[in-house]
Amino acid sequence: GAANSVEPTPTALSIYDIQYTTDVYGASPHVDEYVETSGIVTGVDRLGSNSAFAIQNGSGPWNGIYCFWGAPEEIVLGDSVTVRGYVTEYNGSGLLGDPDRGLTELATGYVTAVHSSGHALPAPVVLSVGGLQDEMYEGILITTQGVVTEGPDEYAVWKISDAPGDTASVNDRFAVVAPTMGQTMQVTGVLNEYGGSDNVPHSWRIEPATQEDVVELVPG
């Protein structure tokens, strides 16, 4: 007498399989597919309707992805989880957005299982500010350093640079840190490619999981 399930049958894929692409704009070959995948939680945000968390399966390119729904209360950094969701490209829109660029993510999904807890997070990939701006690093933990070139704006977003023309933003999705102009900072966090909107152009954003992931480098 129970109602039949309306959930589609997911395709089991690794995060690498979902993320790896040769598309010139970085679109996943599995867009709109309902998939199941697993990884270690590397960032958790439960604030507001745009909540998200990130998972990663091993270190290195193509192995991380954002899950854009609210994580269950028990989910914390270092948990090993399996999730299901639809592969989506959250591309830019509006006056300043780039409709061809954005974030490959899982949406309209849920956590099917928490397998274990307390895992060490995957080792972050060490990159220059210019080097991190590559589709293969989207959704994974990276670490970089640079001088603060723009202080926190009204959204607590600030920018760093290590070479002329190479700039990345540091976002407050998981943790809020407010450095001052001219400080040299080392930043570790999950990389997010933001497609842009009416007010903000396309940019690469590093999203530290905790305040401890942002460290001022003082000349010794």
Side-chain angles (χ1 to χ4, degrees):
N4 291 328
S5 172
V6 295
E7 180 181 2
T9 300
T11 301
L13 295 173
S14 68
I15 298 174
Y16 187 99
D17 290 335
I18 296 168
Q19 283 281 30
Y20 181 79
T21 181
T22 58
D23 181 78
V24 65
Y25 296 117
S28 169
H30 298 283
V31 170
D32 295 331
E33 292 184 29
Y34 188 62
V35 302
E36 179 178 277
T37 195
S38 300
I40 303 297
V41 176
T42 55
V44 185
D45 159 36
R46 295 187 177 91
L47 300 177
S49 60
N50 199 30
S51 294
F53 60 101
I55 61 174
Q56 187 171 331
N57 183 17
S59 297
W62 309 110
N63 283 318
I65 197 164
Y66 277 81
C67 302
F68 262 86
W69 62 84
E73 285 299 318
E74 67 271 17
I75 295 293
V76 296
L77 294 177
D79 282 353
S80 172
V81 301
T82 293
V83 301
R84 292 180 180 178
Y86 288 93
V87 180
T88 304
E89 294 292 334
Y90 183 63
N91 287 353
S93 61
L95 296 176
L96 300 179
D98 185 340
D100 293 321
R101 298 304 309 234
L103 183 70
T104 302
E105 62 185 37
L106 298 181
T108 320
Y110 67 103
V111 176
T112 69
V114 179
H115 304 291
S116 53
S117 300
H119 295 271
L121 301 189
V125 178
V126 180
L127 297 165
S128 66
V129 173
L132 66 81
Q133 301 182 39
D134 192 305
E135 180 75 19
M136 71 174 71
Y137 301 120
E138 176 188 89
I140 74 164
L141 284 170
I142 65 97
T143 188
T144 193
Q145 63 185 55
V147 175
V148 178
T149 57
E150 291 186 28
D153 61 16
E154 66 268 32
Y155 304 107
V157 178
W158 43 283
K159 295 181 179 182
I160 59 172
S161 177
D162 61 358
D166 290 339
T167 302
S169 297
V170 182
N171 197 31
D172 67 337
R173 179 177 304 280
F174 305 130
V176 177
V177 182
T180 58
M181 287 280 290
Q183 286 182 298
T184 299
M185 310 298 291
Q186 178 174 292
V187 183
T188 300
V190 187
L191 190 64
N192 181 318
E193 184 180 9
Y194 181 62
S197 64
D198 279 336
N199 303 313
V200 181
H202 168 269
S203 64
W204 291 89
R205 295 179 169 184
I206 309 159
E207 302 192 319
T210 69
Q211 291 183 334
E212 289 71 30
D213 292 324
V214 181
V215 178
E216 182 182 6
L217 300 178
V218 180

